Amino acid sequence: MAGSTLKFENPLFANFLFYAGVVLLKTCMMSLLTARYRNKNKAFMTEEDCQALKQRTGMDVKPTRNDPDIERVRGCHHNDLENVIPFVLIGLLYIMTDPNPWYAKMHFRIFTIARLFHSVAYLKPLPQPSRALGWLLGYIVTLSMGVSVVLAGIM
């Protein structure tokens, strides 16, 4: 199994790639959402962006770093970076431990659903503890996989 663990022929690896791809694409989409809000709210961080807007439209705006819509999206994006990257890295190591396929798939699915829910709760916003529960569930999944990796390394 070791030679074929990280190949598409391994259904568990293919399943992991699907869910990792979903959460990585969602994380990438947060950059586009930030740009959308920057343009919609005319809230740019740098002087050169403000100058470019002025050249295109004649609007004179000053740099701003405290637009609440943008800060909400950036907070969500930052949280994705803190959680999705460890999930992907630990998930790759976890696959190498030859885990029970059903449990592994549940880890991947639960993490993905938790991260999607977290983003909805962050961006909508839903009342707390909604967002915190979404984060916690995803964190527990990553922690569980990490513990499995460490235990497999000890044995």
Side-chain angles (χ1 to χ4, degrees):
M1 176 81 170
S4 63
T5 300
L6 299 181
K7 294 188 177 183
F8 277 103
E9 291 79 26
N10 175 356
L12 188 56
F13 182 62
N15 188 264
F16 169 72
L17 289 180
F18 170 77
Y19 288 107
V22 168
V23 294
L24 286 168
L25 282 173
K26 190 209 84 59
T27 300
C28 290
M29 296 301 292
M30 299 308 292
S31 296
L32 295 176
L33 192 56
T34 301
R36 179 178 176 268
Y37 276 108
R38 286 200 183 285
N39 284 310
K40 176 184 165 205
N41 297 357
K42 307 295 184 244
F44 302 102
M45 286 181 63
T46 64
E47 187 63 43
E48 61 269 19
D49 291 338
C50 294
Q51 288 300 319
L53 178 68
K54 186 174 184 176
Q55 288 174 351
R56 278 194 326 269
T57 67
M59 290 181 68
D60 193 16
V61 297
K62 300 288 180 215
T64 181
R65 296 175 187 264
N66 60 358
D67 183 274
D69 293 334
I70 295 166
E71 291 310 308
R72 182 164 290 280
V73 174
R74 288 184 54 185
C76 186
H77 190 193
H78 184 89
N79 194 276
D80 276 348
L81 294 171
E82 291 176 341
N83 290 276
V84 170
I85 293 169
F87 166 77
V88 171
L89 295 174
I90 290 172
L92 284 171
L93 297 174
Y94 180 64
I95 291 288
M96 306 276 294
T97 69
D98 196 23
N100 176 296
W102 188 86
Y103 287 117
K105 288 176 186 178
M106 286 299 104
H107 278 86
F108 309 152
R109 287 179 187 152
I110 291 168
F111 181 86
T112 301
I113 291 166
R115 288 313 302 173
L116 293 171
F117 175 77
H118 176 271
S119 294
V120 169
Y122 210 133
L123 298 173
K124 191 128 182 95
L126 298 178
Q128 281 288 37
S130 302
R131 186 178 80 233
L133 291 173
W135 170 83
L136 182 61
L137 188 56
Y139 189 80
I140 289 170
V141 166
T142 302
L143 196 61
S144 172
M145 291 190 308
V147 167
S148 294
V149 167
V150 170
L151 291 176
I154 290 173
M155 296 177 181

